[in-house]
Amino acid sequence: MTSTLETRGQREADATVPELTIRVRGLWKYFGHVPALRGLDLELEKGRFLTVFGPNGAGKTTLIKVLSTQIGPSEGEVMVGGIDVVRDAHHLRRRIGVISHNTYLYPNLTGLENLRFYGRMYGVSHLDDRAARLLEEVGLLGRMDDRAGTYSRGMQQRLSIARALLHEPDIMFLDEPYTGLDQHASRMLRDVLETLHTGERTILLTTHNIDQGLEMCDEVAIQVRGRMVYREPITSIDRSAFEQTYFEHVGKDYRWDS
Amino acid sequence: MSQEQVLEPAEAGGRAAAPPTTAVGVADIPAGGGRSRLLDILAIATVIAILIDLYGALLWAPTEAVMGDVQRIFYFHMPSAWLALGPGFTVVFVCSIMYLVTKDLKYDRIAAASAEIGVMFTTITLVTGPLWARPIWGAYWTWDPRLTTTLVLWFIYVAYLMLRSSSAAGHKRARLSAVFGIVGWVDVPIVFMSIRWWRTIHPLLISGQGMSLDPSMELVLFYSLAAFTLLYVYLLLVRVRQEDMRARIDELRQQILSR
Amino acid sequence: MGFLSQSWAIARKDIIGELRTRETVVSMLLFGFLVILVFNFGIEPGLREENLVKPGVLWAAFIFAGILGLNRSFAAEKENDCLQGLLLCPVDRSVIYLGKFLGNFIFTVLMGLIVFLFFSVLYNVDIVRDILPLGLIVVLAAVGFSAVGTLFSALSVGIKTRDVILSILLFPVMVPVVLAAAKSSGVVLDGRPLGEAGLWLGLMLVYDVIFLTVSLMTFDYVVEE
């Protein structure tokens, strides 16, 4: 952890450049011989909320997996929170929280047991208090002694949010978190995400749903065929114009395919 | 790309240990892809060596007094067994470790080629052994430690090839098969010891020092060993070259597709 | 949070999950019983009394039943992509290996002892008298079996035909353990002192140490992507 703080300190000493939480240069990721990411570049300042839009197969999930140390890059430089994802994955893992459409929950353990288990793996102190507070925040205190497998999809996703927040990460990755949620559950997820966006926490969310993606973010990017093709702050974006832009980029891709 | 590096030379230096610039690490393969002179010479040498070996083993070597002509199988059986147990599977082990250390798929291809050839030689051993054993011992198979170990070995390396064939090419397959290649090789001596203790009484035909062979028989045997080793080296090089080409083709195809 | 306590947390969650569903252990036991039953029909009644045959039946049942547990071990982590959640945790990969190993080891020993009990009833063996030496053999065999088995379970989990591949990979590598376990339990069932099986117990111990080490060293490469 000390080394991390040092890097941060050096960065702040530079002063001219704002602190970058995510800095990706020329990132390639191959599966076999097939590239999922093709020389992707990305920068995100500390405390910002970026939504990455993209069609299926654009490599959004791959990008999040590389950023969160789940898979290694084939080529390129990937720094997250001032840490190289290849060289020091272990330290980076303490600082990131991942919420994906997969919940990472053990269906045969209760909600509380799931949190306790992950809390132990992260070495969270005062684990029981922390778990109880999180369960209350996501509205699952009443069901905490039921098996996670008996939860509805929305409840599981909320428990998954609590799981991801256990160790108070300052960097969050959200990979299509709305997948499979009904309107009510989406609404709840949105409310929880809103509380996460404090300005201290850096958040990257991927989605292909324009309405949900535009709701809370500071910046917007479009990823197509393993590259970032568009990047604007939310303030300069008009919803219907953006939709037009998005479909233009995606449409180019589909034309290329055929 | 170069522009960025000029802007931040320190960063470029820091990435000296970056992964290779090609996804499959085949940059070193000659793009021409034509015939290789070395392989041609090796092919001719191997053919000549094997022809001489056939002559020596089948005609020149004297007929064994007790076993008769059946003994001549031995000139093929022994070299095959040696190649499979010795270089064949050891190359798999060494290249598996080398791959895990360097992440260079070249080693994965050598390991795969060597395992294939190793399985082939093990199969020859397992077929020629019983052919010889039937008239001499009166049974195709005995649970002799060498024989049984060879059989277990055959299963281990067939499993290795099965593992390879059931996953898609790439680094993931290379990693998984390398791990199995290491575990399998470490297992072989333990298998041998356990089977030796299990069958404490076994017909020792060639004990350590008692190779009571006629000098001319010995000569043929050692020559045969050399000829088979040459064959192994040639087959390995051809197979690795094939796989290198395949990797290069895949890469070129990808380059075209992702343009 | 120490290395061991985190490993234990992983094993513990596997055990809690298993206590709730009893999916794995019950199917392992049932399968073990069935192997003994099927062997029983295949063996001449006179031979059944032979101490040469009994250990073979016993350890065939052990291996076949054990592999069911290994099949489940990492497949269970695929549900909800839990394995990814586990790999995201800031723990050394060897902690994960050790945790899964511990869980598999406990299930295997439990299964082994119950299958032995079932076997002793069917084959009229007084197992209670020899429970300590037999228990030692089961533990030694289960360590080797779970050490290699946990590694291979992780190795085969991403493959479509993982059940078949796991068996094909595991059986030949397990030959020394099966031999040593069958031989040493034969000594015990004969009523001879355990010391006579010293060589075999030593072999299993060496196997256990070697493959725990090799597995700990290579597990990283199996789960990393």
Side-chain angles (χ1 to χ4, degrees), chain A residues 124-171:
Chain A
V124 173
S125 48
H126 309 294
L127 181 53
D128 283 348
D129 296 344
R130 176 98 186 118
R133 208 166 55 243
L134 281 167
L135 282 166
E136 195 178 353
E137 268 176 43
V138 298
L140 286 172
L141 211 49
R143 292 286 306 271
M144 69 176 190
D145 290 323
D146 294 335
R147 286 188 215 178
T150 65
Y151 289 8
S152 71
R153 169 83 193 140
M155 291 166 73
Q156 290 198 16
Q157 194 61 298
R158 278 186 274 147
L159 184 58
S160 180
I161 293 167
R163 172 195 59 71
L165 293 176
L166 268 170
H167 55 294
E168 300 178 73
D170 63 320
I171 304 161

Side-chain angles (χ1 to χ4, degrees), chain B residues 150-181:
Chain B
T150 311
L151 183 65
V152 174
L153 191 75
W154 186 84
F155 274 113
I156 290 178
Y157 286 96
V158 167
Y160 175 88
L161 295 180
M162 288 278 291
L163 176 64
R164 295 191 70 88
S165 65
S166 51
S167 21
H171 282 285
K172 181 162 187 170
R173 178 176 83 176
R175 272 199 326 273
L176 299 185
S177 34
V179 168
F180 186 71

Side-chain angles (χ1 to χ4, degrees), chain B residues 183 186-191 194, chain C residues 140-149 152 169-178 180 200-215:
Chain B
V183 171
V186 171
D187 195 43
V188 170
I190 309 179
V191 170
S194 67
Chain C
L140 280 175
V143 169
F145 182 78
S146 314
V148 180
F152 286 2
L169 298 182
L170 190 59
F171 283 142
V173 177
M174 290 310 296
V175 164
V177 172
V178 178
W200 295 114
L201 300 181
L203 182 92
M204 281 198 276
L205 196 65
V206 168
Y207 186 100
D208 294 352
V209 170
I210 288 180
F211 282 107
L212 263 179
T213 314
V214 171
S215 303

Side-chain angles (χ1 to χ4, degrees), chain A residues 45-57:
Chain A
E45 284 164 30
K46 184 171 187 285
R48 304 284 279 177
F49 186 140
L50 170 73
T51 297
V52 176
F53 292 94
N56 293 330

Side-chain angles (χ1 to χ4, degrees), chain A residues 77-89:
Chain A
E77 183 190 27
V78 184
M79 305 285 283
V80 177
I83 301 174
D84 186 315
V85 294
V86 178
R87 281 184 220 161
D88 204 3

